[in-house]
Amino acid sequence: MIPDLLPVRTRPKPGESLSSWLARTAFENGIYLQTFCHLVWHRKPIWNRDTDRTGDHEILHRLASMTATSPQKALATTIRHYEGLVFRQYNASGTQRHITSLGIYHRTHKGYGQTYCPLCLKQNGYFKLSWRFAFITVCTTHNQRLWDRCWRCAAPVCIHRGRWLRCDACDADLRDAPPLRHDSRALIFQKHLQAAIEGQRFWNVPARSSLELFDVVYDCSRALGTRYPKNKAFREAICEIAEGRKNWISSIQSFPYPQMETMECLHRHQMMAFMARILTNWPWTFIACATRADFTSGYLFRDWKPTSPEFEHVVNTFLSYKSPQLPDNFKH
Ligand SMILES: [Zn+2]
Ligand SMILES: [Zn+2]
């Protein structure tokens, strides 16, 4: 029997994800996680769903009451909390824009959507919900790129399997993962996006809300493309004009179209590095690079519709002609 109030009332730590909170609750109360879930929620499917995303009311309500946690604090452990801030509408199935996909297969993960910072795990002992955002690829506390797999055997991270904070495939301690280098401009860009969620100034892109900014970001990620020659020329132009990393031009080439949510963390980081450059001095760097790549609005939107009016306006205003006149204040 599980008591109404647990002996150890494990409350969510700042920024903790629901899956982390749930697994830690079982761990700190000395109960095997699967047994704990079975005793509390019986046959309810929990780990063959993306728990952080669904924010199932029954799970949240019971976990909150067993640990004397307020409903608001409990809800903040879920992706649903970011509806209207990062994405417009919560999707029960399919890809959720700007949220990483776990590639759930039965109770395991085939995708690399669960990331972690080994030093944060060492210091705080839990997984942050923000590590599920597609645009978060660097730890801003420790200035290291996030890991998205076991550092020893490369298995995807399954919080709910194996020992706490260890790889379920080889039992390596995730806290021992060595540091990963990052692109400094991708990090600065990421910090702007994080600040936007918290209601701070929206950087130098005209946006009245964080949602509008994230729509511009989404459209830019589509423009970066992956497989087509002109999109590659666009990435080459970014490297030449805005000092990007040339060895990253082709590394994201194999994707038929860019969907950051399903990419591994390194490729998302590379996309962030490219976007950081085209969104700096907006829209002039973007226009210069797009012109160099011979983009026209017709080419760019040949198989997708922009979601951001700002992005659409810039493309339709400046890329309708082969050689648009750049303004005098354009800076390289
Ligand atoms: Zn960290
Ligand atoms: Zn491993």
Side-chain angles (χ1 to χ4, degrees), residues 150-155 167-172:
C150 168
W151 58 272
R152 192 158 69 188
C153 77
C167 167
D168 68 300
C170 76
D171 202 41

Side-chain angles (χ1 to χ4, degrees), residues 30-83:
I31 314 170
Y32 179 60
L33 177 61
Q34 307 306 337
T35 311
F36 176 73
C37 291
H38 180 71
L39 288 173
V40 180
W41 292 283
H42 309 290
R43 291 183 180 277
K44 189 174 183 61
I46 297 177
W47 301 111
N48 54 2
R49 307 277 153 90
D50 186 340
T51 316
D52 295 334
R53 249 181 80 179
T54 54
D56 186 285
H57 177 73
E58 218 180 308
I59 299 172
L60 273 185
H61 180 76
R62 187 75 205 279
L63 189 58
S65 72
M66 282 190 300
T67 56
T69 301
S70 73
Q72 291 88 340
K73 266 197 172 171
L75 187 64
T77 63
T78 72
I79 295 296
R80 272 174 180 249
H81 181 65
Y82 291 90
E83 188 173 30

Side-chain angles (χ1 to χ4, degrees), residues 117-121 123-124 128 131 139-144 146:
C117 165
L119 294 179
C120 281
L121 288 186
Q123 280 177 6
N124 309 321
K128 294 181 180 177
W131 293 341
C139 171
T140 53
T141 307
H142 299 106
N143 290 330
Q144 297 184 5
L146 299 175

Side-chain angles (χ1 to χ4, degrees), residues 181-184 239 243-249 273-274 277:
R181 290 165 63 90
H182 71 278
D183 178 278
S184 58
C239 289
E243 297 172 342
R245 295 187 183 211
K246 288 196 167 67
N247 55 336
W248 286 359
I249 292 169
F274 282 118
R277 285 157 173 86

